[in-house]
Amino acid sequence: MQETTAQISAIHKKMLLLIKHYEQLQKEHEKCQAVLEKKNDEQKKMHQDLTELTQQNLILKASLQSMEDADKKTLELKLNSFVKSLDKTIALLTQ
């Protein structure tokens, strides 16, 4: 009978250790989730900043150069496709 009691006691101690370890892992997981969310928010902001700066750069380049309307339109179309390409690349990187 004492052997059974000792085995039950040992199993109980192991269960308590496992529960404690599980709770520690849950806390660590929550911290990691918070860090991930913060990094995702930072990435979104950086993407918005990149898009805005790209547009500002294009406007500045267009204003500094004297171009004909057809050339400006061609440049604008190329720049828009470049921005779309950047957006797609960033979207792929975030997956």
Side-chain angles (χ1 to χ4, degrees):
M1 186 67 140
Q2 287 179 347
E3 186 177 315
T4 305
T5 306
Q7 288 176 341
I8 291 173
S9 177
I11 291 171
H12 181 68
K13 286 180 183 179
K14 287 181 182 180
M15 284 184 57
L16 290 176
L17 284 173
L18 287 172
I19 290 171
K20 184 176 180 181
H21 189 271
Y22 175 76
E23 289 172 349
Q24 289 172 343
L25 287 174
Q26 278 184 320
K27 288 178 184 177
E28 185 178 341
H29 177 70
E30 289 172 2
K31 289 178 185 178
C32 289
Q33 288 290 79
V35 168
L36 179 62
E37 186 175 328
K38 182 179 177 183
K39 294 292 181 185
N40 283 338
D41 290 344
E42 289 174 2
Q43 183 183 21
K44 286 178 185 176
K45 176 153 180 15
M46 290 176 77
H47 179 265
Q48 290 172 347
D49 291 346
L50 175 64
T51 302
E52 185 178 322
L53 289 172
T54 303
Q55 290 174 351
Q56 289 176 359
N57 188 29
L58 297 176
I59 292 169
L60 180 61
K61 283 181 181 180
S63 68
L64 291 177
Q65 297 176 354
S66 57
M67 299 179 150
E68 295 180 15
D69 289 340
D71 292 336
K72 285 183 182 180
K73 186 67 176 176
T74 304
L75 176 64
E76 183 180 345
L77 291 172
K78 286 181 181 180
L79 291 175
N80 285 337
S81 68
F82 177 69
V83 171
K84 288 178 185 177
S85 177
L86 283 174
D87 288 340
K88 287 179 184 178
T89 304
I90 291 171
L92 289 173
L93 289 173
T94 60
Q95 292 181 350

